[in-house]
Amino acid sequence: MLEHQIGRLQLCQRLDGILIATSSLPGDAEILQIANRLGLNSFAGSEDDVLDRIYKAAKQEHADVVVRITGDCPLIDPAVVDQMVGAFLARRDELDYLGTGPTFPEGLDTEVMSFAALERAWHEAVKKSEREHVTPYIFLSGRFRTARTEYERDLAHLRWTVDHESDFSLVRHIYEQLFPRFGYNFGVREILDLFQKEPELAAINEHIVRNEGFLKSLSEESGKLEMVKVRSLRRSEEYWARAKGLIPAGTQTLSKGPTQFVEGVAPKYLQRAQGSHVWDVDGNEYIDLPMALGAIILGHNYPAVSEAILQQMQSGTSFSLMHPIEVEVSETVRSLVPCAQMVRFGKNGSDATTGAVRVARAYTGREKVAHCGYHGWHDWYIGCTSRNKGVPHWAIEQQFAFTYNRIDSLKEIFAANPGEVAAVIMEPFGVTLPEDGFLEKVKALAHENGAVLIYDEVATGFRFHLGGIHQYLGVDPDLACFGKAIANGMPISVLAGRAEIMQVLAEEVFYSFTFGGECLSLAAAQATINEMREKNVIAHLWEMGRRLQNSFNRLASDYGLQKHVQCLGLPPRTFVSFSDVGTVPALIVKSLFQQEAIKRGVLFTGAHCLSYSHTPEDIDFVLAAYQKAFEVLSKAIRQGNIEEKIEGRPVQPVFRAVN
Ligand code: PMP
């Protein structure tokens, strides 16, 4: 097999030389003899630390560009290798690494990298899987400039590598058919022709999962993985029984409630949390990913914040007059956030967004609101959803939803309501980035029409950038709303903006409540922001998020599910999006995936809101659980029994947009 592979590689035009790198174990001595017989250089190095082996082999050759082909690819295509080398050299200044992407059949894998990148990985990579599989550190750590090429059509379902006997049978058959006619001169096209003539060939090894070896070592690293297999949820169910008939909907926050989880599989009540881990009332441990809907940015019970809260508590929590910390935190927000000339506090995100809308209405003397995204529970917004009973019709008539990245949808609102729109309120970023100057266009359109531009950064502020997502995106609104991350889980929100507009709060607008200046949350906000400034928290969120998102999407394509399951968004906050599989609805697909992740100790809701406490080990634990979830899901899809595999009532929607 090896000789065949070498025979094919020798047809490449763009390789200066071929070296065989193997292990120094006695059993591999024969490989060195083969290299010798073929007149090729060889290198014998570590069995497990293959990164070290490849690095030393490349160093021995004084290579400055390294093409890595693994020895299990006897159908490697010389034309593909040459194209990859050419593409890498053409982009030499902008790339450290170029690999074949998931649309290639497995077994055509070609990786081209600079020696410098290999050397850096050799210095920096520490994990067993990164050492054993050579390049994961390069393409997952986010520290290198990497790219992947696509094949001209999606051949991800084909498996031409050799790990199992069935793989070997397939490859031997291909050689028997094509070698007598072409010698080594056959490539993807000729093999595909053969598959067309003999369609049963694809079935020989299609049951084997792509990139098995890498996936296996991921799960080895997460030894605890199967620990949570048999869990009791008895106490969760007991509390739930007590809540029935007492707490309408059973929950204070719909997206934390049981409708968002597979009944009987997910815990209902959590009791304790530390760092990135949580424990349910039955003592089961999970890695937390929703992190209290994105509120916990540093980690649960984070020492600097807990300490600040405790200290404040000992000198008072709520006072009968103002407290200086209101001034201090306002100054901190003003010093960080570009649009924040004046600052007011609230408790929930909805306080800030509702305050902003009232300010805009007072400032413009108009009533209508154009909105885009989710903005909270108040009449002026929630009326546009299916959960709008109790909202008066006149409130619903004042609100108009527009669509992200579709400027025409906002233009239509202004055209239909000339001189009547008080505010354009939007989440400036959700999962997709603005395209084609969308944010600039929205701003211009709002201002041309005399409306106030409000950014709802409740979910995104203080997560992507300390100056808010608007600083990250480079467009300043008139008003901005913050919540969630700003105080590491303590209830506080912020309404900030241009002085000229905010000033209306000083006069005729009522925005005032008992707990507006509650001091524990303000102390927590100050401590959280200080910590974020000092510790490079946001860089950590990007790094962990990249590791999670890249590997997630790689797993999805390894299981051939990239069309149905995708991890979207920017690394500090990503979402797993599921789509229908045939007639099976997306929420059912999600339910099975969620069930399998939760069983393995990962609290999965679809949102990854990472914190400063998430470690690379946490991420790998999560990935190992996801790998199992993908395995179960892909099997269920093949067998057509996704629904049967779900062990309780599946996930339900909170509401649907109806506007
Ligand atoms: N705006 C956005 C973008 C949000 O994500 C949320 C909460 N998920 C809100 C507003 C409302 O915040 P709260 O639930 O704290 O009232």
Side-chain angles (χ1 to χ4, degrees), residues 253 255 293 347-353 372-378 380-381 425-429 456-460 481-484 492-493 573:
T253 311
S255 44
L293 310 180
K347 289 280 122 203
N348 285 291
S350 305
D351 290 352
T353 55
C372 174
Y374 172 79
H375 305 297
W377 73 275
H378 291 289
W380 66 266
Y381 165 72
I425 178 166
M426 66 184 300
E427 287 188 80
F429 170 71
D456 176 348
E457 305 192 28
V458 170
T460 48
C481 307
F482 302 97
K484 301 202 191 259
I492 184 168
S493 57
R573 173 175 175 260

Side-chain angles (χ1 to χ4, degrees), residues 265-439:
V265 172
K268 290 191 171 71
Y269 296 88
L270 296 177
Q271 191 156 47
R272 191 163 71 80
Q274 182 62 47
S276 52
H277 293 238
V278 290
W279 287 262
D280 68 16
V281 284
D282 290 283
N284 304 306
E285 181 180 354
Y286 304 85
I287 298 225
D288 194 356
L289 291 172
M291 296 306 277
L293 310 180
I296 308 289
I297 190 96
L298 295 171
H300 293 286
N301 189 21
Y302 190 84
V305 181
S306 300
E307 181 60 26
I309 295 171
L310 224 79
Q311 260 194 15
Q312 180 61 48
M313 196 160 75
Q314 282 159 357
S315 67
T317 55
S318 280
F319 293 85
S320 309
L321 300 179
M322 299 176 291
H323 187 285
I325 198 168
E326 297 172 40
V327 183
E328 288 159 15
V329 180
S330 301
E331 283 173 344
T332 302
V333 172
R334 184 178 61 187
S335 72
L336 290 170
V337 176
C339 78
Q341 293 169 344
M342 296 185 94
V343 181
R344 282 290 299 269
F345 300 114
K347 289 280 122 203
N348 285 291
S350 305
D351 290 352
T353 55
T354 301
V357 166
R358 183 173 293 173
V359 164
R361 284 174 165 164
Y363 181 75
T364 57
R366 302 171 177 180
E367 294 194 345
K368 293 185 175 168
V369 175
H371 56 68
C372 174
Y374 172 79
H375 305 297
W377 73 275
H378 291 289
D379 288 357
W380 66 266
Y381 165 72
I382 206 69
C384 75
T385 70
S386 60
R387 210 172 174 118
N388 65 0
K389 275 248 170 77
V391 178
H393 66 89
W394 44 261
I396 296 175
E397 282 154 17
Q398 304 298 316
Q399 53 184 270
F400 304 86
F402 65 101
T403 310
Y404 196 79
N405 272 336
R406 294 227 353 247
I407 194 68
D408 285 348
S409 64
L410 181 60
K411 279 187 186 155
E412 283 162 19
I413 295 171
F414 279 118
N417 303 279
E420 293 181 331
V421 177
V424 174
I425 178 166
M426 66 184 300
E427 287 188 80
F429 170 71
V431 283
T432 40
L433 280 166
E435 285 163 13
D436 201 17
F438 178 65
L439 294 180

Side-chain angles (χ1 to χ4, degrees), residues 18-25 28-29 31-36 40-47 49-62 122:
I18 298 174
L19 171 140
I20 298 185
T22 185
S23 89
S24 52
L25 295 181
D28 283 336
I31 293 180
L32 298 174
Q33 286 162 17
I34 294 174
N36 207 10
L40 300 180
N41 289 352
S42 60
F43 180 86
S46 169
E47 159 80 349
D49 187 349
V50 190
L51 174 55
D52 180 74
R53 185 203 304 172
I54 301 290
Y55 165 70
K56 287 182 176 152
K59 196 165 175 168
Q60 172 190 297
E61 289 299 289
H62 304 291
W122 179 76

